[in-house]
Amino acid sequence: MGSGVSVFRAIEDLKWSRTHTWSFIAFALGLLFEAYLVGIAPIATGWFTLPSYLTALTLIWPFLWLIVGLIFVGPLSDRFGRKRLFILTMSMYAVGIALFIVTTIFIPNYVSLLATLAIMLAAAGGEMNVILTDMHEVMPRRHRSKAAFFLINFINVGLMLVSFISLNTQLIGPFYQRLAIGIIGIVILIVLVISRMKMPESIRWLERKGRINDAIREVEKYYGVRLDPGNLPNVEVQVSKPVMHPPLWFRFVAAVMMMTANDVGFGLLSYEVGPIYFSSQTALIILITALAEFIGGLFIAPFADRISRKVVLLFSTGGAAVMTYIIVALMKPIVSSFTLFLLMDFILNIFIGIQYLAMDTFKGELWPTERRGTFVSLVRTISIGSLIPETIWAVSAPLNQFLILNMGVWTMSLAAAIAWFIWGVETSKGVSIVVTSGEV
């Protein structure tokens, strides 16, 4: 049990309010837009006739620029605040979308596509990192896990949206595909800007930076709660038994191993198998995969605050690993039947989707507030970065090697999930973020 005078603990148990709703909308649209932008790249391989090395470049392009955004924005959000960095990323979005539409109308070529995507994807990498950091510091304790799971499921909505647009504009050509993608992007950005104006800076971040008066002003402005700076409540964080936090290196290794398997496991079948082996079915593969993950997310999200995070990680990782073993065992019929491939991919991605929601929630819960953005950035940089050499290799690799690699990464992830189940701490069931992070 820890105790102390704290602005954050004074508001952590507030009922869900309009501010929480606007924050939820802002976070949800940010995650949707990030996935929307990433989904453009594999679809764009069908807009031009490209040699294999440029196909590979197009497929790794999102990961390269997501990493650029991660490297810079994660640490900056720890230093300058969560909300300030959203202003930067939204400005980059505006520039990128404007250039995307202009180049689509006047100079639609491969180089202009890469340039505009680079701007927007760098913004998306930073944007997602800040969201995964800030959502734990903004959402009420009793709804934190549930809100995080529902939020992260909007990533699947973004993928489904760009795939749906692509499928429904395929017959009228790349020009109208690009134009539709750009116009929808403008609509998303407008709602994103409005919602960001109605959400507060992280009270927990302000407090840890020693800006107590600023934190109190934010609480009054956005939550309508008056706090006396000289008489802040003494709030205790109740835990059923003393929490023995594993060392930082163990937390980091476990998070990296489980998140890397998810990124590689999802990317192998969704972003690469389509463009490389079933080029005419790329949008359909992404749509079906995202739909499977969305369904898995809808199933688990309402119970996220009641079910052990350790159990969810073990169940979903174990399910994904077992499915990859079955896929390798049925490799020959899967290679020869696109329908069977889609069916197995759908079932596999229900487990991957549940694990993804749990992992994207989990990897923001483990770190001290003043370093949360940096550590989330490091975990995501390594996991997303692993897709780059794997994608370059995949362009010339046979499908059976894809499937064997997929089995290997999920076996690695299962080992990490078992280790965390045994030695890790519980981060769900209404546990305060100040407890999960080891700050009390």
Side-chain angles (χ1 to χ4, degrees):
M1 180 175 68
S3 63
V5 173
S6 168
V7 179
F8 176 74
R9 294 186 201 170
I11 67 161
E12 193 178 25
D13 288 322
L14 290 178
K15 292 182 179 180
W16 190 275
S17 66
R18 181 180 298 179
T19 295
H20 295 119
T21 298
W22 278 114
S23 298
F24 186 94
I25 293 170
F27 293 154
L29 286 177
L31 293 172
L32 181 153
F33 201 33
E34 187 261 356
Y36 182 85
L37 294 171
V38 171
I40 292 174
I43 291 170
T45 57
W47 294 347
F48 309 96
T49 301
L50 302 173
S52 60
Y53 69 92
L54 287 184
T55 297
L57 176 62
T58 307
L59 293 175
I60 67 173
W61 198 248
F63 313 134
L64 287 170
W65 291 97
L66 287 175
I67 287 172
V68 170
L70 286 170
I71 290 172
F72 288 100
V73 175
L76 286 175
S77 71
D78 284 337
R79 181 169 182 181
F80 297 108
R82 319 307 190 198
K83 191 172 179 178
R84 283 187 185 178
L85 269 296
F86 284 136
I87 297 172
L88 171 63
T89 56
M90 288 191 298
S91 300
M92 293 172 66
Y93 277 157
V95 171
I97 292 172
L99 290 175
F100 184 86
I101 291 178
V102 169
T103 56
T104 290
I105 295 172
F106 296 107
I107 45 171
N109 58 61
Y110 181 69
V111 174
S112 66
L113 171 71
L114 291 187
T116 54
L117 281 181
I119 297 170
M120 292 189 289
L121 287 163
E127 171 100 355
M128 187 177 182
N129 200 84
V130 181
I131 292 170
L132 295 180
T133 301
D134 197 24
M135 66 184 183
H136 292 295
E137 299 168 359
V138 170
M139 295 301 163
R141 179 178 60 82
R142 64 173 67 98
H143 301 297
R144 182 174 61 81
S145 294
K146 183 164 59 259
F149 274 46
F150 276 116
L151 281 169
I152 295 162
N153 214 16
F154 274 86
I155 293 171
N156 295 314
V157 177
L159 286 174
M160 287 191 290
L161 180 61
V162 72
S163 303
F164 184 78
I165 292 170
S166 176
L167 285 170
N168 282 274
T169 55
Q170 223 163 36
L171 296 178
I172 56 177
F175 172 82
Y176 290 102
Q177 279 189 324
R178 292 193 293 265
L179 195 60
I181 287 170
I183 291 171
I184 295 296
I186 290 175
V187 174
I188 294 171
L189 181 61
I190 290 171
V191 181
L192 198 60
V193 170
I194 294 170
S195 59
R196 292 277 162 82
M197 292 171 63
K198 296 178 180 293
M199 61 175 287
E201 176 58 271
S202 165
I203 305 303
R204 181 63 179 165
W205 179 82
L206 288 170
E207 183 175 78
R208 295 293 287 185
K209 286 293 182 180
R211 296 168 56 180
I212 302 300
N213 290 332
D214 290 338
I216 291 172
R217 280 193 291 270
E218 288 286 286
V219 169
E220 183 174 348
K221 178 179 178 180
Y222 291 97
Y223 297 100
V225 176
R226 289 181 175 274
L227 297 174
D228 181 357
N231 189 32
L232 289 174
N234 189 345
V235 182
E236 294 185 342
V237 176
Q238 298 287 343
V239 293
S240 56
K241 59 182 179 179
V243 179
M244 300 299 293
H245 285 272
L248 199 61
W249 68 264
F250 179 77
R251 293 182 244 173
F252 183 73
V253 171
V256 166
M257 289 175 68
M258 285 189 278
M259 198 67 240
T260 298
N262 195 290
D263 281 337
V264 172
F266 178 82
L268 274 171
L269 298 182
S270 303
Y271 293 145
E272 288 136 22
V273 167
I276 295 171
Y277 295 103
F278 306 106
S279 58
S280 64
Q281 304 291 348
T282 299
L284 178 61
I285 290 173
I286 294 176
L287 178 61
I288 294 298
T289 302
L291 179 62
E293 297 211 358
F294 181 72
I295 291 171
L298 281 184
F299 172 76
I300 196 71
F303 311 102
D305 286 294
R306 287 182 273 171
I307 302 176
S308 163
R309 188 91 69 245
K310 295 163 74 173
V311 170
V312 172
L313 285 171
L314 185 61
F315 165 78
S316 57
T317 306
V322 170
M323 279 303 303
T324 61
Y325 305 153
I326 294 172
I327 289 172
V328 169
L330 299 176
M331 187 181 300
K332 288 185 178 180
I334 287 174
V335 169
S336 60
S337 171
F338 179 65
T339 301
L340 181 58
F341 165 78
L342 274 186
L343 176 63
M344 301 304 288
D345 185 44
F346 184 87
I347 298 171
L348 169 64
N349 274 281
I350 289 177
F351 289 106
I352 292 180
I354 294 172
Q355 202 255 14
Y356 186 59
L357 300 191
M359 271 309 305
D360 260 8
T361 302
F362 174 75
K363 70 187 179 190
E365 297 173 314
L366 306 175
W367 326 110
T369 301
E370 58 270 25
R371 291 189 289 169
R372 183 170 290 120
T374 300
F375 271 102
V376 171
S377 172
L378 285 172
V379 173
R380 293 189 70 231
T381 297
I382 294 171
S383 64
I384 292 175
S386 65
L387 283 163
I388 296 174
E390 170 266 314
T391 304
I392 295 172
W393 163 81
V395 172
S396 58
L399 185 56
N400 61 346
Q401 290 186 21
F402 262 91
L403 301 180
I404 291 172
L405 175 61
N406 202 23
M407 182 180 70
V409 297
W410 280 108
T411 301
M412 173 191 73
S413 184
L414 180 57
I418 292 171
W420 188 260
F421 184 80
I422 297 171
W423 296 295
V425 297
E426 182 56 66
T427 59
S428 184
K429 297 186 175 182
V431 179
S432 171
I433 193 67
V434 302
V435 174
T436 67
S437 61
E439 292 172 296
V440 297

